[in-house]
Amino acid sequence: MLVLRGVILGAFVVCTFASGVPVLMYHEIRTPNISDTALRRDLSCSPDQFNQHLDWIEKQEYITITSGQLLRIPLSKKSIMLTFDDGRKSHYEAASLLHQRGMVGVFYINSASIGTPEHLTRSQIIEMSRMGMEIGSHTVTHPDLRRLSRARLLVELATSKKQLQRLIYQPVNSLAYPSGAYDQGVISAAIRSGYTSARTTDRGVFKGRDPFRVPVIRIHPTTTTRDLARMVMKGYNK
Ligand SMILES: [Zn+2]
């Protein structure tokens, strides 16, 4: 019986690890328009489409998690993490939509962009944090971290963390590498600056292997819920 229980427990743990946690990467939650550059259009997801994704997430009975929970993988509940890059002003509305549904998201912010045109203000970020959203760092100025001197690299990582923490009175533990650019030196500097995880733009589903190489499912303006389901399943089956 004990052996049998061990087998069952072992099978459960393996099964939970194998499925992993999908981490979705959003940029702007806005309807793209004709005057947008191709890049901006590609980084947009309309509010309608975003709501459809949230409907699907609810229907699939996922719980939305923060980076701290992600590190506790394998998780006993079916989990998904929603992330939003660049601190764009549309993220305030996205956070409100999540909050109305009892969901959470992780918002990666460049500290130098706060309060500038098209970006979140200080009071919006404070309110989002109070809604239960996680605020993460996307560095100070969004540089390619691999190209910086060691001193400058530490400033980008440590200063953004400090500035955001001072704003929300909460620890800022997670980082998203700007443009997904990182190497071993960047990872070492992130660890030294006190982060506990970092999100990449590498494709995949997080299976608990390396918290400084968290992979993503990238959301495009054309990503339907059917695409989302397919990408999540594909990640699961890798
Ligand atoms: Zn970015």
Side-chain angles (χ1 to χ4, degrees), residues 17-18 70 73 205-215 235 238:
F17 259 117
L70 185 71
I73 198 171
V205 165
F206 185 62
K207 296 185 179 173
R209 288 196 192 109
D210 184 344
F212 286 88
R213 286 188 173 87
V214 175
K238 255 186 201 168

Side-chain angles (χ1 to χ4, degrees), residues 85-86 138 142:
D85 287 19
D86 302 334
H138 202 31
H142 206 283

Side-chain angles (χ1 to χ4, degrees), residues 27 43 85-87 108 110 138 142 176-180 199:
H27 284 82
L43 295 177
D85 287 19
D86 302 334
Y108 293 111
N110 303 108
H138 202 31
H142 206 283
Y177 304 115
S179 309
R199 208 218 60 209

Side-chain angles (χ1 to χ4, degrees), residues 150 154 157 161 175 177 184-198 210-212:
R150 180 85 179 154
L154 289 169
L157 296 174
K161 187 177 196 295
L175 168 74
Y177 304 115
Q184 197 50 53
V186 172
I187 293 177
S188 304
I191 294 169
R192 195 174 152 196
S193 303
Y195 292 99
T196 55
S197 69
D210 184 344
F212 286 88

Side-chain angles (χ1 to χ4, degrees), residues 22-238:
V23 177
L24 308 188
M25 179 176 68
Y26 291 93
H27 284 82
E28 293 193 76
I29 305 299
R30 65 184 273 280
T31 305
N33 69 53
I34 198 89
S35 61
D36 287 346
T37 60
L39 176 65
R40 189 167 188 193
R41 201 163 37 243
D42 191 49
L43 295 177
S44 299
C45 170
S46 73
D48 273 358
Q49 189 188 352
F50 182 58
N51 265 314
Q52 284 171 28
H53 292 174
L54 299 185
D55 289 344
W56 180 80
I57 287 166
E58 265 178 0
K59 209 167 148 199
Q60 298 297 314
E61 299 184 337
Y62 277 107
I63 60 156
T64 53
I65 61 169
T66 58
S67 69
Q69 292 164 295
L70 185 71
L71 298 180
R72 295 201 283 275
I73 198 171
L75 300 162
S76 56
K77 292 196 174 136
K78 200 171 157 189
S79 305
I80 193 165
M81 190 164 100
L82 309 185
T83 69
F84 303 81
D85 287 19
D86 302 334
R88 308 293 297 197
K89 67 177 183 187
S90 64
H91 293 177
Y92 181 74
E93 183 58 26
S96 305
L97 292 171
L98 291 172
H99 186 57
Q100 283 162 21
R101 294 176 185 248
M103 294 177 169
V104 296
V106 186
F107 294 82
Y108 293 111
I109 292 168
N110 303 108
S111 56
S113 300
I114 300 171
T116 62
E118 300 285 332
H119 292 86
L120 294 165
T121 64
R122 291 172 65 83
S123 57
Q124 284 175 325
I125 295 168
I126 292 167
E127 209 179 319
M128 286 162 65
S129 175
R130 287 187 183 145
M131 284 181 208
M133 305 299 138
E134 177 178 350
I135 303 300
S137 166
H138 202 31
T139 72
V140 180
T141 63
H142 206 283
D144 181 338
L145 295 174
R146 298 166 304 178
R147 295 173 183 276
L148 303 182
S149 66
R150 180 85 179 154
R152 189 67 212 156
L153 175 58
L154 289 169
V155 167
E156 283 285 344
L157 296 174
T159 304
S160 57
K161 187 177 196 295
K162 231 179 281 167
Q163 288 172 334
L164 290 166
Q165 287 179 163
R166 225 177 277 146
L167 179 63
I168 59 172
Y169 287 99
Q170 296 281 337
V172 169
N173 294 324
S174 68
L175 168 74
Y177 304 115
S179 309
Y182 70 98
D183 56 20
Q184 197 50 53
V186 172
I187 293 177
S188 304
I191 294 169
R192 195 174 152 196
S193 303
Y195 292 99
T196 55
S197 69
R199 208 218 60 209
T200 68
T201 54
D202 304 341
R203 283 168 60 172
V205 165
F206 185 62
K207 296 185 179 173
R209 288 196 192 109
D210 184 344
F212 286 88
R213 286 188 173 87
V214 175
V216 294
I217 291 174
R218 182 187 283 267
I219 303 297
H220 296 281
T222 51
T223 307
T224 62
T225 52
R226 185 181 284 196
D227 297 330
L228 198 52
R230 187 179 43 77
M231 288 192 286
V232 166
M233 287 311 296
K234 201 171 151 197
Y236 275 3
N237 295 334
K238 255 186 201 168

